[in-house]
Structure formats: C-alpha cells, structure tokens
Amino acid sequence: MKSVNTARGKVEPVDGCATPASRPDGPIDPARRKLLAGLVTAYTASLVPWALAVPVTDAGHGAFVALSAILAGKRVLNSVLGQRLHAALVDIEPGFDADCQALLKQIEAQQIDPAKLQGALDAAHSSLAPLPRKLMRAWCLGLVGDGEATRCVAYENALDAVMVADVLKPPTYAYGPYGSWSNPPAAKGGDEHGNA
Amino acid sequence: MATPDSAEVVVIGSGICGALAARKLALRGVPVLILEAGPRIDRGRIVAAFRNSPRKGDWMSPYPYSPWAMQPQYKPKDNGYLIQAGPYPYPAEYIRVVGGTTWHWAAQAWRLVPNDVRIKSLYGVGVDWPMTYEELDPWYQEAEEILGVAGADNTGSPRKHPFPLPPVADPWSMIRFRERLAPVYPVVANTVARNSRSYDGRPACVGNNSCQPICPVNAQYLGINAVEAAEAAGVKVRADAVVYRIEADAKGRIAAVHYYDPDKTSHRVTARQFILAANGIESPKLLLMSTSSKYPNGIANSSGMVGRHLMDHPSSSLTFYADEELWLGRGPQSPSSINTMRDGAFRSQHAAYRLDFTNISQVLSVTEALIAEGVYGPEFEKQLRWRAARQCNVKNVLEVLPNPDNRITLSSEKDALGIPKPVAHYSIDDYTRRGAERSKQDFAKIAELMGGTGLRYSPDGQFANNQHITGTLRMGDDPAKFVTDGFGRAHDHENLYMCGTGVMPTAATMNSTLTAVALALRTADHMVPAKSSGADNGGAT
C-alpha cells in the first residue's frame, strides 16, 4: 500500500460542526489531492471499485473513505459530507485515523467479507470492533460522539434518508400535497439494492 | 421586590385547556391573566432543533429546558425531576412552555364512548362520572370546532352534529390494513385535530410525518394556537411565572397566588376567581405545596384525594414485517385504530383497550437495528429498504382503573427555585395486565392477516407510557371522595376551578386531551354563563 504522510492541521469546531482546518466544507486543496485508488490494495479495490476516484487528503482520510465505502455498500458517498464526518470523528477521537488504517489493513490482509466483518471483530475481541458501527452511525444517522457529547452532523443527507429518498421524505419535510400519501408507494426502479 | 398585580380571573398554566378556558371567559368580557411557568418558544426553532438533534427518537429533545421550570427528561440521562417511588415506573413527559405539552401531541382527539362514564354501574369497576355522555356532547362539539377535528361517524362515539372536517386521507399503509383486516376487524380513521382541508387560517396537512415532536406547518392544532386565540380575545399571558403557592383567606376563598420569576423574585397576584390548569402532575404538586395552618394538607385537599388516582394508558405492542410494501412514514403519524375492544361486558373482568396503528417512518429504528446487528456492505441498503417498507406496529392503549395508591406526592428534593419535586407512585394492576394479555390474541390475528413474519412482541409485563396523565384532581359529587365537583370547582374553595386531564374520574381508552378540553369549556361556561346564546360556542377560533 502506498503511504502518504501528510500532516493534518488541528481540527476546530465551526458552527457546531468540526471541519478540516484547511477549508470548511470546501473541495480538497488540489495540491493535496490524492485518489483513493492510490491508497488501497487490489482486494479493497475489488470491493469498492466505484469509489476509487474519490479524492482524499492523506492515508488516514483515505482509510476512512475506503472503510466507509466498504461498510456502506454500493453507494456513491457524498465527499463533502464525508469530509465533515471525518473531521468530526477525528476531532473527538485523535486516534481515529490510525484505527481506520489498522482496520483497513486487517480487512485487506485477511480479505474479510464486509458481511462477516463485525462478527469477526467481535469474535476476536478486537479493539477495533466499535469502529465499523461508529462509521455507519456517522454516515447513516449523521451522529458522532457518545452520550451527552453526541453531535448531529447530518440529517437530510445522512445515508438512511438518501437510501429511501425515492419513497420517503425525512420527518419534518413535507411529503407532498394533501392526500398524496394515499397513493401506492412508487419506488423508483433500480437494481436489487434500490439504487437507481 | 414583589409586584402587586390583579385580574378578574387568573389561570395557572397555558396549555390547551387553560388557554381555551381563558379564551372563553375573555370572549364573555372577563379580564383574564394566564401565568405560565415556562418560556415562549418558536415553532421554527423547534423544527430546526429537531433536525439538529442527536436524539431523533426523543420527542422532548428539541424543546428547551428551563432551569426555573423543570420538566421530566430522561435522555441522554434522567434529570431527576419526576422522582419514581414505584413499584412500576411512571416516566411521564410533559413540556413546561407557553402552549404546554400539546406542542408535541399526536393530535388524536377522541371522544369517550358513552359507557365510559358509567363503568361502575355497568361493570362494577372504577367509578361513574358526575355527568352523562349526552351532557358532554355539546362541549365535545364546541371543542371539535375550535380544534378543527377531522373524523368519521364509525368510531363508537355518537354525536348530534357532524364533525367540522372530513377524515384525513388514509396513508397507503392504512388502506392496506383496512382492506386486509376487514374480514375480522374494522379499521377506522382516528379522529384527529389535524386539518383535512384548510381550516381557520391553518393549512391542510402535507404529510411531514413529524406530528410528534412538532408539526412544522400548523396543520395540527396545538396549545399555542389556543394561546394565540386567547390573546386575540384579550387574555394576558405572563411567561416565566412559576406559581409556587395558592393563598386562601379566612373564609376559605382563594385570595391570591404567588409566583417566582426566573430570578426567584416573588410576586403576588390577586383575582376573584382562579383556574388551576397546570397538568395532572404540576397541578396537584402546587395544591400539596400550598400548606398553611388552616390547610395543613394543602389547598383543596380536605378529602386527602389531591394527587391520588393517577392514571395513564400503558401500551404493549407487536412489531412485525408485513408481506407487502407498506412504507410507513408517508402522511401523518397516527391515522388508524380498531375500536372493537373499547367497550363490552368484558370490562368487568379486564381492561378495555383501543388498538392503535402507527404510521411513523420506520427508517430510524430499522437503521439503528441494522447498525446494532453489524449488517454492512451491499446487504445494508438492501435490508434497510426491505425492512423500512414492511415493518409495522400495532399497540394496545389500555384502560387503567383509578387506584388511590397511584398518586403524586411531594419530594424532599427541591428544584432550582427551591420548589419540591413531584414523586410518582404507580403500579399496573392485574385488571390492566389481563387486558394486555387478551390483546395479544388480536396482535397475533392482525399479524396473520398481514402475512406477518419476524414477530416481535414487547416483553410480557413491560409497558410503554403514553403521556396521558389522568386523574389526581378527580371530579365527583362527594366532597369526601373527590377533589372537584362536577364542574371542576374545588369542593373546598368556591372560587377555585381546575381544568385539564387531571379532573377526569377515569381514563377510558382514548387519548385524553379532547375530553379535557370539552370539560374545560364546560367549566368556563359554569364560571361565567353566557348572557346570550352562542357568542363563543362553536365556530373556529
């Protein structure tokens, strides 16, 4: 695996959301731009071929993006949201990037099927066992942190809303004109995963 | 420094009952002042707070917490306000703000069924109400016309005049429940304070599916609508005024109430008449706190009944996957019920119940479950869509009989203003538990008719609470057994009235707000009878 040792600046919370120190929510600096394809092995590439062109800043961010794609399945992930989630997760847990890299390395080395990942980590009592759920909770519910320190980073753009957006609106958003909900739900056609 | 103040009528509490009673009095020319412990809040900010909330399943989370007007909160941890004495937990939720707890109700606006007010005579349980259903009918009608209640005539509650609004359009999921359960169960549209067309300046529902915790578009009638209507009628509302003492004079009339502002400066307000409308927990708390040498057990409590006979509606439930795509979450949250077990001879043996179908989006709970199960990769999205499309839920809404040992008392613990915290003593008796057991037959049949798989019953003996805080100020004719008379007037004090769900003698099986509003309007009419017919009866706000 090609390694990139780009130092990351200190992450500061901005308006309640932790964001990269370089440019909050903005595109990745072209000078720091890497592609995920350059950071992963053939096994990861085979799991998430659609994600390989995603720009990343460094190995830690790359591991986060690769793991996110593996865990979330066949879904193009919102790269801006990904930056926000990553920054928030790193902000509350300085060792987050290292954990992501370690877990990705383990998946690649052992060629672990994503469907069997959590069971394998739990069975091994791995210190990395909580990590997949942290990532999925961030992507799918928009939440990072625990207990009273939990922060909401995403709602409408969280994956749980996006994955059903052809049928449902997130609560508080109007479904449609009065009575439109009496019609049969018309999910858009797509593959077996509902992807249009 | 105390600020002297006065009004013809002082109302304690700005929830839907207090506000609509105040409005009715104001429309009859009576100067009214409402004292509300909590702050004013803004609908838009509540919507934004929900969207930004880390606890979307906690419907208290978007509401502000005021140290001077504590309210029970349990997440992310119990704030210790409503102290649990057991033996069964009673984690009631309510909101202490201008407008009260109907900011986040489901707007289910049911009438009683006629036999609900005669269960002692008919079935030998509970107690009869000091009025007939027929006496309540016009007050229900008035309440329904103010709230804009939508409904159909097949709910088991007779009426002399039509609903102001036709039933709200069924979500597809409920159409399918109705069609598939029809051989066995009639599935009826809930009667709801939700607009099925524009009404009284408020729009028709557009299906935001967030009736709880907040209707973003004002299609659902809330306590704040009642407050605004009261203010339009001339009522003054003072927020952040935490009443901590009710003062009686030597003749037993209520002379004044005392309140703290957030800085704990005390104020005294006098009036000729008073309405206590601070909900089924805060109202008895205030009465019990208001002790003196003449009233050592508190105001209105010569019977010792203040705070007793606390009731609610416990629920057990079944969650399952239907064999077709229903996609709960399209349209309003609370559309349909089965009412066949709300009344019958069985009530001598076990609790009556309503069966309630939710239309709340299942996406959040399904997502949480999949993450907990560690489902990753392509299977995650596949499972999310499959489960969110098919997962559904039916729950019972069980009657609890009045039990004097279920009660609210005062704790030695104090809140930030030095006011005692309330203590809940609660149990769920065998009568209610037998009703829950009986309802499992219905759950199983419903699942069978829907081709259900993955059946998940709530654990035996465990009940969810429905936040229908009932009893504690019950109305009845006997001053030795009841706190208020049949019009909500304290037996012990001729100028003190009580409004809210607390005055209901029994809880029956329906959400209690509409009945409490009807009773509040009746109380206000009794306080100041109309000089001419119908000036404030009927019609929208």
Side-chain angles (χ1 to χ4, degrees):
Chain A
M1 183 175 77
K2 181 179 178 182
S3 107
V4 177
N5 296 314
T6 304
R8 293 187 60 80
K10 185 178 186 315
V11 175
E12 297 289 348
V14 178
D15 294 336
C17 292
T19 53
S22 54
R23 285 189 61 189
D25 304 338
I28 290 173
D29 182 345
R32 302 172 65 202
R33 179 186 171 101
K34 311 288 179 188
L35 295 183
L36 182 61
L39 297 170
V40 297
T41 66
Y43 178 66
T44 296
S46 72
L47 289 176
V48 292
W50 66 91
L52 298 178
V54 173
V56 298
T57 55
D58 57 32
H61 184 224
F64 165 77
V65 170
L67 277 177
S68 298
I70 290 168
L71 295 171
K74 190 176 180 181
R75 170 68 66 170
V76 175
L77 299 174
N78 178 330
S79 61
V80 174
L81 176 59
Q83 290 177 62
R84 292 167 61 99
L85 294 172
H86 178 247
L89 288 160
V90 169
D91 186 39
I92 59 172
E93 199 171 332
F96 179 78
D97 273 353
D99 285 350
C100 285
Q101 292 176 73
L103 181 57
L104 183 62
K105 187 175 179 182
Q106 184 175 339
I107 291 171
E108 290 173 332
Q110 300 175 15
Q111 300 204 352
I112 302 173
D113 179 345
K116 297 175 181 172
L117 174 63
Q118 193 64 57
L121 294 173
D122 291 342
H125 302 291
S126 169
S127 63
L128 298 173
L131 184 58
R133 290 196 176 99
K134 281 182 196 170
L135 265 71
M136 287 297 276
R137 185 164 167 264
W139 276 107
C140 298
L141 297 171
L143 301 180
V144 299
D146 296 310
E148 292 177 90
T150 303
R151 279 188 285 163
C152 176
V153 181
Y155 177 50
E156 307 92 335
N157 296 320
L159 275 186
D160 67 338
V162 172
M163 286 176 173
V164 299
D166 57 326
V167 192
L168 298 177
K169 297 283 177 60
T172 69
Y173 287 84
Y175 179 79
Y178 173 78
S180 54
W181 46 83
S182 296
N183 299 320
K188 288 177 182 172
D191 61 21
E192 71 277 20
H193 308 308
N195 293 332
Chain B
M1 188 63 194
T3 304
D5 215 335
S6 66
E8 180 70 16
V9 174
V10 163
V11 178
I12 305 164
S14 67
I16 193 168
C17 293
L20 287 177
R23 169 183 172 268
K24 189 171 187 71
L25 293 170
L27 289 174
R28 293 182 177 179
V30 179
V32 183
L33 171 65
I34 296 177
L35 300 175
E36 166 55 51
R40 286 186 183 268
I41 60 175
D42 173 78
R43 184 189 303 265
R45 288 183 179 276
I46 301 303
V47 174
F50 173 78
R51 291 174 178 174
N52 289 314
S53 171
R55 300 189 308 281
K56 298 289 191 305
D58 171 13
W59 292 329
M60 292 295 286
S61 71
Y63 288 92
Y65 167 73
S66 306
W68 61 90
M70 287 187 77
Q71 59 202 13
Q73 291 184 198
Y74 307 98
K75 296 174 182 173
K77 63 180 182 182
D78 191 336
N79 70 352
Y81 179 62
L82 180 58
I83 293 170
Q84 303 292 321
Y88 197 86
Y90 185 65
E93 292 178 349
Y94 51 92
I95 310 173
R96 296 178 77 186
V97 297
V98 174
T101 303
T102 53
W103 272 100
H104 78 358
W105 70 322
Q108 293 202 35
W110 294 100
R111 293 182 171 207
L112 298 165
V113 294
N115 287 346
D116 283 336
V117 301
R118 300 177 60 219
I119 59 173
K120 182 66 174 177
S121 298
L122 292 170
Y123 309 120
V125 297
V127 65
D128 289 351
W129 289 42
M131 68 199 73
T132 65
Y133 178 90
E134 290 69 29
E135 287 176 84
L136 277 174
D137 178 76
W139 304 107
Y140 272 136
Q141 187 72 30
E142 182 176 339
E144 289 161 342
E145 292 181 6
I146 293 171
L147 271 59
V149 173
D153 289 329
N154 59 353
T155 59
S157 301
R159 53 190 309 117
K160 290 182 179 172
H161 301 286
F163 279 103
L165 295 170
V168 173
D170 278 326
W172 171 256
S173 56
M174 298 299 134
I175 292 173
R176 294 301 295 143
F177 269 111
R178 179 171 298 149
E179 291 172 349
R180 295 188 65 173
L181 303 189
V184 181
Y185 297 106
V187 177
V188 303
N190 291 345
T191 64
V192 290
R194 181 173 297 114
N195 284 354
S196 54
R197 59 173 170 78
S198 297
Y199 185 77
D200 192 24
R202 296 181 294 110
C205 177
V206 287
N208 303 64
N209 203 245
S210 62
C211 319
Q212 302 164 100
I214 181 69
C215 173
V217 301
N218 206 13
Q220 173 171 294
Y221 193 92
L222 308 180
I224 191 61
N225 300 111
V227 171
E228 290 170 353
E231 290 180 309
V235 173
K236 303 298 182 189
V237 179
R238 191 167 300 163
D240 303 322
V242 186
V243 177
Y244 67 92
R245 183 182 163 212
I246 300 174
E247 173 192 336
D249 65 18
K251 295 179 180 176
R253 288 177 58 85
I254 303 305
V257 297
H258 300 252
Y259 74 85
Y260 289 133
D261 62 26
D263 295 327
K264 206 179 176 179
T265 301
S266 185
H267 307 260
R268 181 174 184 267
V269 182
T270 60
R272 287 170 60 86
Q273 299 190 91
F274 297 83
I275 295 176
L276 178 56
N279 101 1
I281 290 176
E282 294 297 320
S283 287
K285 186 191 88 172
L286 180 55
L287 292 170
L288 293 169
M289 286 168 55
S290 300
T291 57
S292 62
S293 57
K294 187 171 181 180
Y295 299 103
N297 297 322
I299 290 294
N301 198 24
S302 65
S303 63
M305 292 294 119
V306 167
R308 292 187 183 273
H309 306 100
L310 172 67
M311 295 169 280
D312 206 301
H313 294 125
S315 287
S316 53
S317 64
L318 171 64
T319 302
F320 62 94
Y321 301 118
D323 65 1
E324 63 175 300
E325 293 194 355
L326 300 172
W327 284 108
L328 271 58
R330 301 166 71 245
Q333 286 181 337
S334 301
S336 306
S337 293
I338 294 171
N339 282 352
T340 49
M341 291 297 285
R342 287 184 65 188
D343 187 40
F346 63 83
R347 291 177 90 172
S348 64
Q349 301 300 317
H350 67 74
Y353 52 89
R354 183 171 59 79
L355 292 167
D356 182 282
F357 295 100
T358 184
N359 187 43
I360 293 174
S361 168
Q362 300 296 293
V363 172
L364 174 61
S365 64
V366 164
T367 303
E368 289 174 336
L370 288 170
I371 293 173
E373 293 168 28
V375 177
Y376 308 135
E379 190 66 13
F380 180 87
E381 182 165 1
K382 185 178 176 184
Q383 285 286 329
L384 173 61
R385 291 182 63 89
W386 192 93
R387 296 189 194 185
R390 293 167 177 79
Q391 184 165 286
C392 50
N393 173 279
V394 57
K395 72 174 182 180
N396 53 36
V397 180
L398 292 155
E399 180 161 32
V400 166
L401 294 176
N403 171 355
D405 294 331
N406 287 350
R407 61 189 298 210
I408 297 297
T409 59
L410 302 179
S411 173
S412 58
E413 289 186 33
K414 305 288 175 48
D415 68 14
L417 290 178
I419 294 172
K421 295 178 179 179
V423 181
H425 306 252
Y426 197 59
S427 61
I428 296 176
D429 66 14
D430 289 343
Y431 179 83
T432 297
R433 291 173 189 270
R434 284 194 294 272
E437 189 62 28
R438 170 61 181 77
S439 71
K440 288 168 73 175
Q441 297 176 28
D442 299 315
F443 293 167
K445 188 66 180 176
I446 290 165
E448 177 191 331
L449 292 169
M450 295 301 294
T453 54
L455 275 59
R456 286 153 281 161
Y457 289 88
S458 57
D460 280 342
Q462 290 188 25
F463 300 91
N465 196 43
N466 276 301
Q467 326 308 348
H468 305 158
I469 306 161
T470 315
T472 69
L473 306 168
R474 294 193 312 159
M475 49 171 49
D477 294 332
D478 185 348
K481 295 181 179 175
F482 298 93
V483 179
T484 61
D485 69 13
F487 289 96
R489 173 155 57 181
H491 281 297
D492 295 351
H493 310 279
E494 65 176 6
N495 66 336
L496 175 61
Y497 292 81
M498 301 181 204
C499 293
T501 51
V503 301
M504 292 170 59
T506 60
T509 60
M510 77 302 152
N511 309 51
S512 44
T513 296
L514 184 76
T515 299
V517 170
L519 291 170
L521 296 170
R522 182 170 173 268
T523 294
D525 178 75
H526 184 73
M527 292 172 70
V528 182
K531 292 175 182 172
S532 59
S533 62
D536 54 29
N537 278 6
T541 56

